[in-house]
Amino acid sequence: MVDREAARERVLDAAQELFYSRGIQAVGMDAVRNASGVSLKRLYQLFPSKEALVLEFLQQRDSRWQRALADYVEAQPTPEERIAAVFDWLHKWFCEPDYRGCAFINSFGELGAVSPEVAEQAQHHKRAFHDYLARLVKASGRPAKLADQLALLAEGAITTAAIFGTPEIAHQARDAACLLMHTHLGPDLPELRR
């Protein structure tokens, strides 16, 4: 059982790196086998199809992403600072040397039209992020529609930072988020950067 779990983790780690860096369609199971060191036979015992591996990659990535975001944001003392911290965390993510945008947007672009399961995973991820923003907005006492606006800012920043290769987009989105918070309820806001 330990061997099976260890092999499964090696395969998923390899898939995470390869699918995110190269794209799902560009990576065959042979490349995952080579990167993981797990035989092709064992690989197919663990994941009967490439789609099964892709879906597990997306589920794992969603869980890790949501947890990392919440850990960072929840360390802030006030609701307003937590909302601003979402954009600070995005900046931190955008600064990672292997940043290639959102794995869910990328996978939806590649496979969403032909794989309802991949489309569903992407929708689940985006819904969970929006729901998280809605909880932050509710805790701040601001109207629910602010969550929609913050989600648009964040999603736009994620895509724009990937296309232009600059993490500074997160600071611009943070400034806009702070202005939106100000228009929705008052001056108790994190200081704008600049």
Side-chain angles (χ1 to χ4, degrees):
M1 192 63 172
V2 173
D3 280 345
R4 179 180 175 82
E5 278 308 304
R8 190 172 190 285
E9 285 308 307
R10 285 200 316 269
V11 168
L12 282 169
D13 287 346
Q16 287 278 349
E17 194 276 317
L18 292 170
F19 290 160
Y20 186 67
S21 65
R22 298 184 194 170
I24 294 169
Q25 293 185 40
V27 174
M29 292 298 262
D30 285 337
V32 176
R33 176 201 62 203
N34 293 340
S36 67
V38 172
S39 73
L40 203 55
K41 180 179 178 183
R42 182 62 172 236
L43 178 57
Y44 278 108
Q45 288 172 343
L46 296 166
F47 300 96
S49 66
K50 183 178 175 182
E51 184 172 43
L53 179 58
V54 168
L55 293 175
E56 185 65 28
F57 148 70
L58 291 171
Q59 289 169 0
Q60 188 179 70
R61 187 156 186 106
D62 175 60
S63 175
R64 288 178 179 175
W65 193 92
Q66 300 288 352
R67 191 173 335 115
L69 173 64
D71 288 348
Y72 186 89
V73 169
E74 300 306 318
Q76 303 308 310
T78 69
E80 291 76 18
E81 288 172 305
R82 287 185 198 114
I83 291 171
V86 168
F87 297 91
D88 294 335
W89 183 82
L90 290 176
H91 182 267
K92 190 174 141 204
W93 178 35
F94 299 167
C95 286
E96 292 176 4
D98 65 344
Y99 178 71
R100 270 196 76 250
C102 175
F104 298 89
I105 292 171
N106 297 346
S107 64
F108 184 83
E110 283 192 76
L111 300 171
V114 295
S115 172
E117 292 84 2
V118 167
E120 185 178 317
Q121 284 292 320
Q123 291 164 0
H124 165 79
H125 176 76
K126 296 305 179 184
R127 250 190 317 274
F129 179 49
H130 187 277
D131 291 347
Y132 182 68
L133 290 172
R135 289 191 300 275
L136 294 175
V137 166
K138 184 176 182 181
S140 79
R142 287 171 170 78
K145 70 179 181 177
L146 177 60
D148 297 331
Q149 296 164 341
L150 295 174
L152 286 173
L153 279 174
E155 293 297 348
I158 290 167
T159 302
T160 304
I163 292 170
F164 289 106
T166 176
E168 293 310 308
I169 299 296
H171 289 158
Q172 295 168 17
R174 183 189 195 277
D175 290 348
C178 288
L179 289 171
L180 283 170
M181 282 192 285
H182 182 73
T183 64
H184 283 297
L185 198 61
D188 296 340
L189 299 173
E191 190 176 320
L192 291 178
R193 297 181 184 241
R194 288 177 284 293

